[in-house]
Amino acid sequence: MRPFQALVLAGSRGGPDPLAEAAGVSHKALIRLEGRTLLERVVGALQEAGAGRIAVSANHPDVRGEAERLGVEVLEATAGPSASVEAGAAALGSPLLVTTSDHALLQPQWIRRFLDDAPADADVCALLARRETVETDAPATQRTYLRLADGHWSGCNLFYLATPQALGAVRLWRRVEAERKKPWRMAAILGPGVLLAFLAGRLTLAGAVARLGRLAGVRAAAVATPYGLAAVDVDKVADLELVRKIVGEA
């Protein structure tokens, strides 16, 4: 397996977080599952997978304190996840694995398999799971799926920036993220070819990633995971209830 650094996104969007409030903590990264905070579980999985250097991107003082307790580096979260990834990549270099603090069920073998399956010539890779794989492993989960010609896909909150050139993809992400409330501007960034192929039902996952890679000036790849639980994160109370059931706490 290739050596790598790791970045955990644990920023706050500002304002109250209903999930954290329901769990009685100041930030969802501090929710406890099987006696450990979600952040501790993610950091532990990264360490077991072989990460040589781990940093947590956070702006909440309690999360920063938890990261320090865990003995990992702390970076200041910036405005939005894409900007935090760009800052993290500048600090840590590549190859860099990026994940999130709410990836409650993250397992070392998922990470190792992702890195082993990542094409050697790719600058950037994203892990995705087929809908049937997710629903087999977690029938009760409610995910948002990307409907493409070769199936319905869910993101897994795992990204691999293999080379410095991968920052081209992060910068494209930043442009799209900045226009997330203006769909017509997002469409202009992505270009008519991508959108027309999607609307016509002709766009496959590999085709979509390759087109986006060309827009960003990088070699991009999608990696399909056999682990359906890799698509389960904790964004809302129902997600927390689900992961508690999965680990036998409910």
Side-chain angles (χ1 to χ4, degrees):
M1 189 187 68
R2 314 168 197 184
F4 67 99
Q5 322 304 326
L7 176 67
V8 183
L9 300 178
S12 302
R13 294 186 180 274
D17 181 347
L19 176 58
E21 290 180 350
V25 295
S26 58
H27 189 284
K28 67 177 179 178
L30 305 177
I31 293 171
R32 289 193 171 271
L33 186 67
E34 295 185 305
R36 296 185 294 162
T37 64
L38 298 190
L39 181 60
E40 184 176 3
R41 292 173 65 90
V42 171
V43 168
L46 292 167
Q47 290 171 332
E48 286 187 50
R53 185 178 171 194
I54 301 171
V56 175
S57 176
N59 47 14
H60 194 290
D62 293 346
V63 179
R64 294 172 69 87
E66 173 68 355
E68 290 171 356
R69 183 185 74 81
L70 296 172
V72 297
E73 296 178 49
V74 183
L75 301 176
E76 185 67 30
T78 56
S82 59
S84 292
V85 170
E86 190 168 7
L92 297 170
S94 59
L96 179 66
L97 184 80
V98 180
T99 190
T100 57
S101 63
D102 63 355
H103 209 328
L105 302 175
L106 185 62
Q107 298 295 317
Q109 60 266 35
W110 303 351
I111 298 168
R112 297 191 196 103
R113 176 68 180 265
F114 177 32
L115 297 180
D116 286 343
D117 289 349
D121 62 348
D123 296 308
V124 59
C125 300
L127 190 70
L128 295 101
R130 286 185 177 274
R131 181 170 187 162
E132 50 267 35
T133 302
V134 176
E135 292 182 345
T136 295
D137 290 353
T141 190
Q142 298 294 318
R143 299 289 102 192
T144 298
Y145 293 96
L146 181 62
R147 299 178 179 230
L148 296 172
D150 56 345
H152 299 176
W153 299 87
S154 174
C156 295
N157 284 0
L158 277 170
F159 306 91
Y160 182 54
L161 282 60
T163 71
Q165 287 70 35
L167 286 178
V170 178
R171 295 184 186 111
L172 176 62
W173 177 16
R174 285 191 70 177
R175 290 175 61 201
V176 173
E177 188 178 62
E179 305 294 355
R180 64 187 182 277
K181 295 183 179 180
K182 300 172 183 176
W184 63 94
R185 291 191 180 177
M186 290 175 61
I189 292 171
L190 296 177
V194 174
L195 295 174
L196 289 174
F198 173 72
L199 293 172
R202 299 194 307 268
L203 195 62
T204 63
L205 178 61
V209 171
R211 285 171 184 253
L212 292 174
R214 287 194 292 272
L215 282 174
V218 301
R219 294 166 297 182
V223 175
T225 182
Y227 306 110
L229 292 180
V232 177
D233 56 12
V234 180
D235 275 333
K236 50 189 182 296
V237 173
D239 296 331
L240 180 58
E241 292 172 350
L242 174 64
V243 299
R244 290 199 187 285
K245 289 179 180 178
I246 290 171
V247 302
E249 285 193 346

